[in-house]
Amino acid sequence: MPAFFSDGGMLKESEKIEAFVYFWLFKLAGSKICRYNNLVFYFRRHLMKKVVCILVFLIAFSFLLTGCSKKQETKSESIETETSVATVKKPEEMVYAIVTKSEGNRYNELEAEGYQKVIEEFGATCIVAHPKSTTAMEQVRLIEKLIEEDVDAITVAANDADALDDVLKKAQEEGILITTVDSNVNPDYTSLFINQVDTKTLAQTLLDAVYDISGGSGQWAILSASSMAPNQTAWIKQMKDLMKEDEKYKKLDLVEIAYGDDLDQLSKNQATAILQTYQDLKVICAPTTVGCRAAAEVVADTETKCLVTGLGLPSEMDDYIADEGPCPYMYIWDSEQVGELAAYATLALMKDELVGMEGHSFTAGDLGKFTVQENEDGGAEIVAGMLLRINKNNIDHWKNVM
Ligand code: RAM
């Protein structure tokens, strides 16, 4: 059987055979499938509707042919089957939920606002769930609750990949469509990851900023969010790999990776500790909006030559962006638009406009056309790709946007 059957125990034997048949049907039609769980979802929830309609038609037609003696029986049979078709909800009658990484983080709020706007404009119901902290446990609790509430789709920005496996498996078994945004889960448990920026491109961009700001050599540190956050760990791993692979970075010395859990005070404490330990530190790179702001504040209040870069929210970094420091420049994307894109993609899956197959495209409203690709772990992904470089020349514009 093909490699895609490493399903983490998600499917029963009969379902594997079902998926196997779909796989070959699509392969014969010339399409490459990123994940077969998309196919199972697609066939179960969408094509089945069409199959039921055809069956209704055939049953009604055959009863008509058998004549008037069975007229009464035909009527009741048709009514019964029509009722079952009528119970299949339309995408606009469904309930969509977004589970962010944590409450009290403006970045997450913007992402959820964008998602909610698109879902509600479509005419459907949207639930926004912000966990109390950046832990998987909080997300598991919220997802359990959403399963009980019988929602139809859940979009998650994961605080941990492995720890969400079981609850997402349970949701999928209940027929709930799972998509991910900002921070991904294991590929069997999502139909599509809406990635803000290609992982390697982002790592390269941040590392080049460290290289540039440090003058190409010396000590630098990373101030991350939570240690299990899949987006943070993926970016950090890529940065480390690039440092090993490329001679250009051989004089850069990554002395510490600290975690502030996307909490303001903890991030400030971590930044203070790093500066005390490494007096010659040249750069703190914080690939999290909370960490970036906290590090900039600490650096601004400390006698140090250290500078800050990373991923910051312009409205939170206005006081700190300047050529002479604490933050000469940083990067970010429009997180509200990424949330919008996640909603458009989830709706496209619900509306049969997208199956999560490599090379398939769909239009996300005004945001334009996006194409599904296979990511490093074999899952389906679309990349928003809206990386912005923020410096003193454009902060005044962007601080009013996000
Ligand atoms: C933080 C979160 C999020 C990350 C952004 C850049 O607010 O940690 O996951 O993508 O920053």
Side-chain angles (χ1 to χ4, degrees):
M1 283 206 176
F4 68 70
F5 274 109
S6 61
D7 69 330
M10 189 193 131
L11 296 185
K12 297 185 201 116
E13 285 308 310
S14 60
E15 291 171 328
K16 284 189 184 181
I17 294 165
E18 195 184 342
F20 186 74
V21 173
Y22 302 151
F23 173 81
W24 283 106
L25 279 176
F26 274 86
K27 206 176 165 70
L28 287 173
S31 297
K32 187 170 177 219
I33 295 146
C34 291
R35 297 312 288 184
Y36 65 97
N37 55 343
N38 286 344
L39 288 181
V40 175
F41 180 84
Y42 179 72
F43 277 86
R44 290 264 172 80
R45 287 184 66 128
H46 301 292
L47 280 195
M48 280 309 282
K49 275 191 270 177
K50 289 171 185 122
V51 171
V52 170
C53 286
I54 292 166
L55 281 179
V56 170
F57 175 77
L58 288 177
I59 291 166
F61 191 65
S62 66
F63 273 95
L64 265 180
L65 287 183
T66 55
C68 296
S69 60
K70 288 187 180 172
K71 202 173 178 183
Q72 199 54 39
E73 205 181 317
T74 308
K75 204 176 163 194
S76 61
E77 187 81 27
S78 299
I79 288 168
E80 207 174 280
T81 332
E82 271 165 21
T83 313
S84 75
V85 174
T87 57
V88 178
K89 282 195 265 178
K90 293 189 186 120
E92 56 270 36
E93 293 162 351
M94 293 181 175
V95 179
Y96 301 77
I98 181 164
V99 178
T100 68
K101 284 173 103 184
S102 64
E103 67 181 12
N105 178 340
R106 188 64 194 134
Y107 172 94
N108 297 339
E109 286 166 5
L110 285 166
E111 184 182 79
E113 283 167 20
Y115 185 91
Q116 185 168 21
K117 189 178 93 186
V118 170
I119 297 292
E120 290 181 351
E121 273 172 12
F122 178 64
T125 305
C126 181
I127 298 174
V128 173
H130 294 294
K132 286 195 172 21
S133 63
T134 53
T135 60
M137 219 168 67
E138 268 294 294
Q139 292 194 315
V140 169
R141 192 181 62 78
L142 290 175
I143 296 168
E144 289 278 6
K145 198 162 161 261
L146 291 168
I147 297 172
E148 270 168 36
E149 287 171 14
D150 212 15
V151 301
D152 299 283
I154 303 175
T155 302
V156 193
N159 283 329
D160 189 315
D162 297 347
L164 294 186
D165 279 0
D166 288 348
V167 76
L168 293 179
K169 181 178 173 189
K170 185 173 162 190
Q172 284 175 328
E173 283 167 357
E174 296 287 327
I176 298 172
L177 170 69
I178 305 295
T179 52
T180 36
V181 65
D182 184 61
S183 185
N184 204 7
V185 296
N186 288 319
D188 287 323
Y189 305 108
T190 178
S191 287
L192 188 66
F193 174 43
I194 294 84
N195 195 357
Q196 47 273 53
V197 181
D198 168 70
T199 305
K200 199 165 177 185
T201 307
L202 183 57
Q204 180 88 63
T205 305
L206 292 177
L207 193 57
D208 281 338
V210 172
Y211 181 88
D212 173 40
I213 293 170
S214 66
S217 66
Q219 295 184 337
W220 69 289
I222 294 175
L223 175 57
S224 177
S226 57
S227 63
M228 299 308 287
N231 58 346
Q232 298 285 324
T233 48
W235 298 332
I236 293 170
K237 183 187 173 298
Q238 283 285 354
M239 280 196 260
K240 283 178 165 175
D241 288 352
L242 284 166
M243 281 178 71
K244 267 190 229 142
E245 286 161 18
D246 196 334
E247 280 283 294
K248 175 183 169 186
Y249 306 113
K250 70 170 190 279
K251 289 189 184 154
L252 284 180
D253 182 14
L254 174 60
V255 289
E256 186 164 335
I257 302 170
Y259 298 94
D261 289 352
D262 271 350
L263 293 170
D264 181 55
Q265 194 53 53
L266 183 58
S267 302
K268 281 193 231 163
N269 295 349
Q270 295 284 36
T272 307
I274 293 171
L275 289 176
Q276 276 165 1
T277 312
Y278 306 98
Q279 309 269 320
D280 295 329
L281 197 78
K282 286 192 169 170
V283 183
I284 295 178
C285 176
T288 144
T289 54
V290 179
C292 196
R293 204 207 70 83
E297 190 183 324
V298 168
V299 165
D301 293 345
T302 312
E303 283 258 329
T304 174
K305 286 195 178 131
C306 181
L307 295 170
V308 174
T309 191
L311 302 173
L313 209 58
S315 56
E316 296 176 346
M317 289 293 287
D318 186 26
D319 292 342
Y320 306 110
I321 293 268
D323 284 346
E324 59 284 5
C327 177
Y329 62 90
M330 61 178 193
Y331 292 88
I332 198 59
W333 45 86
D334 187 331
S335 83
E336 190 175 346
Q337 279 190 359
V338 173
E340 287 174 22
L341 180 58
Y344 280 123
T346 305
L347 291 175
L349 286 163
M350 276 297 190
K351 290 191 280 181
D352 294 354
E353 290 168 7
L354 197 63
V355 193
M357 314 257 280
E358 192 181 32
H360 278 195
S361 300
F362 77 106
T363 301
D366 295 344
L367 300 176
K369 196 171 160 192
F370 292 85
T371 303
V372 177
Q373 61 189 47
E374 188 173 345
N375 63 17
E376 316 86 60
D377 59 12
E381 162 179 301
I382 53 168
V383 177
M386 307 158 181
L387 192 59
L388 302 162
R389 181 180 154 124
I390 308 290
N391 59 17
K392 72 169 180 14
N393 299 327
N394 60 6
I395 183 93
D396 283 342
H397 166 72
W398 286 107
K399 72 181 184 195
N400 295 317
V401 179
M402 55 179 149

